[in-house]
Amino acid sequence: QVQLVESGGGLVQAGGSLRLSCTVSGRTFSNYAMGWFRQAPGKEREFVAAISRGGGSLYYADSVKGRFTISRDNAKNTVYLQMNSLKPEDTAVYHCAANKLRIATTPSAVDYWGKGTLVTVSS
């Protein structure tokens, strides 16, 4: 079983930055492609960003391209999401996701989920 624990959420003003972290335990981290999804109140969970097992391939939703950066440190079993130029519409619970071998860009394809961390962007 894989356990994912997110941290780093909080309240920030529009234009500000936050860095989310997700630490993974229970399995060999480098065997998993990792990603971030988010779910705003009353909306469906949506893809934000993903990174391949070795970190060489990155994927982003159009809504965050140029503002968010996903990265991973396989020695620390941790994946990060650096979020810059935050907007009120980025407000959501951000969930870490792990997939054995392949990238997942849809919620139904994710193998393991974290419980999420709340990001609130005020205008």
Side-chain angles (χ1 to χ4, degrees):
Q1 190 71 3
V2 177
Q3 292 84 41
L4 294 76
V5 178
E6 303 96 334
S7 62
L11 174 63
V12 64
Q13 288 188 331
S17 298
L18 281 175
R19 187 175 83 154
L20 306 183
S21 300
C22 171
T23 300
V24 179
S25 61
R27 289 291 187 270
T28 303
F29 179 68
S30 58
N31 286 343
Y32 289 82
M34 300 298 299
W36 290 93
F37 289 72
R38 67 187 181 187
Q39 188 163 17
K43 295 189 176 181
E44 294 186 353
R45 193 168 295 189
E46 64 175 6
F47 170 74
V48 175
I51 186 167
S52 60
R53 289 178 292 158
S57 297
L58 308 177
Y59 303 82
Y60 296 98
D62 288 344
S63 58
V64 306
K65 276 181 184 174
R67 300 188 298 122
F68 290 11
T69 303
I70 189 170
S71 62
R72 66 189 295 160
D73 185 337
N74 285 352
K76 295 183 178 180
N77 289 3
T78 301
V79 61
Y80 304 97
L81 186 68
Q82 177 67 44
M83 306 186 294
N84 298 330
S85 302
L86 282 161
K87 305 175 181 180
E89 51 264 44
D90 294 318
T91 295
V93 175
Y94 284 71
H95 295 270
C96 182
N99 258 59
K100 190 70 181 292
L101 303 180
R102 298 177 186 171
I103 292 282
T105 58
T106 59
S108 61
V110 172
D111 292 332
Y112 300 100
W113 290 104
K115 292 184 178 181
T117 185
L118 177 62
V119 172
T120 304
V121 184
S122 63
S123 57

